[in-house]
Amino acid sequence: MDAFDFVGYIIMFLFGLGVLGIYQYNKSKTKTLPLSIQRYPGLILEVLIIKQLAKTKNLVVKVTPITGIEISRMYIELIGKKREINKVGFAEKEISNDETTTALPGQPVEIAIPLEEFKTYLNSKEIPFLTFRFVVDVLPNNKHKTHELAFNKNWNIFKPDSGRYN
C-alpha cells in the first residue's frame, strides 16, 4: 500500500465523519410543523407541533388576529364515538371567563402545551373520546374551531381523515 492509498482512506474517513456530523446537527434542531391551519375572516387559528430529536415536545395553539379581537376563552372539545362533545379547559393555561385577552392585528397569541402534560391531562379527565379540537371564543359570541385531531395507539398526534372524500 503506497502513500496515496493511505491519504485517500483518511480523506474518505473524514468525509464520512463530516456527513455524520451534519446529519446529527440537523436532527437535533427544533422543527415546527403545522398540524391544523384554519383561516377565518378575523383571525388565523393554527395548531403546531414542535419536534426535537424526532420526538414531539410541544403542542402550540396559535391565534393570529387579522383585525383586533378580544379572546374571551380557549378550551378543548373532546368528541366521542357517537359525536357527543365534552368541553374541558387547558388546566392552568386556560384563559378564564372573567378576563379577556385583547389581541392586536398581526400579534399572535400562543399557548404552548408540553405533549406529555397534555396526554396526562386528557387521561385524568376520564372522558372517553376519539378525537378532539381546540376552540377559541372571540367576543361577541364567535367560536373558532381547529380541525379535529386524534392520537394513534402510540400516542402520536395526527389529523384523521374524515372519510367523506373517498
Side-chain angles (χ1 to χ4, degrees), residues 24-36:
Q24 288 296 330
Y25 174 74
N26 285 337
K27 188 176 177 184
S28 66
K29 286 178 23 181
T30 302
K31 295 177 181 82
T32 303
L33 305 170
L35 186 61
S36 170

Side-chain angles (χ1 to χ4, degrees), residues 10-11 26 34 39 44 55 57-58 60-61 66 95-96 111-115 129 139 145 149-150 158 164:
I10 290 176
I11 291 173
N26 285 337
R39 298 180 198 288
I44 299 170
K55 298 225 183 233
K57 295 292 180 193
N58 289 332
V60 177
V61 180
I66 297 169
I95 295 174
S96 70
I111 294 181
I113 309 162
L115 189 65
F129 68 95
L139 293 178
K145 300 178 181 183
L149 306 171
F158 70 99
R164 288 183 236 167

Side-chain angles (χ1 to χ4, degrees), residues 126-143:
E126 297 181 2
I127 300 171
F129 68 95
L130 290 178
T131 60
F132 64 94
R133 62 183 164 208
F134 296 96
V135 181
V136 176
D137 282 347
V138 178
L139 293 178
N141 296 328
N142 291 330
K143 290 184 186 203

